Amino acid sequence: GLIGYWQESAAGTDDFFTSLGSTSEMEGFTIDAIGDYNGDGIDDILWSADNGEKKAWLINSDNTHTVSIIAC
């Protein structure tokens, strides 16, 4: 599957989906939180696995992402 977000205009007429990546690269992880973790003004995604491993998708302005492993 894909991970992304739907964006809607203020008038509610222009909806579009922006893909951020595939769920296959994050198999075994669930979304834990969303916030701006690197201070660039763009929300990022924090992922957690059952074994305690955490990864952050740091979202870039072009809707690509960089994966950072969070030490636990």
Side-chain angles (χ1 to χ4, degrees):
L2 293 176
I3 300 165
Y5 61 91
W6 283 97
Q7 190 166 359
E8 184 175 307
S9 69
T13 56
D14 297 322
D15 299 339
F16 63 92
F17 181 78
T18 300
S19 174
L20 297 173
S22 169
T23 55
S24 63
E25 74 178 276
M26 296 306 291
E27 191 168 331
F29 284 80
T30 57
I31 294 176
D32 193 36
I34 296 175
D36 182 10
Y37 302 115
N38 58 354
D40 66 356
I42 300 171
D43 282 340
D44 306 304
I45 303 172
L46 180 65
W47 297 83
S48 296
D50 289 339
N51 66 4
E53 185 178 0
K54 295 195 180 289
K55 294 182 180 181
W57 274 13
L58 304 176
I59 310 300
N60 303 308
S61 60
D62 63 357
N63 291 320
T64 61
H65 65 276
T66 304
V67 177
S68 293
I69 297 173
I70 313 284
C72 296

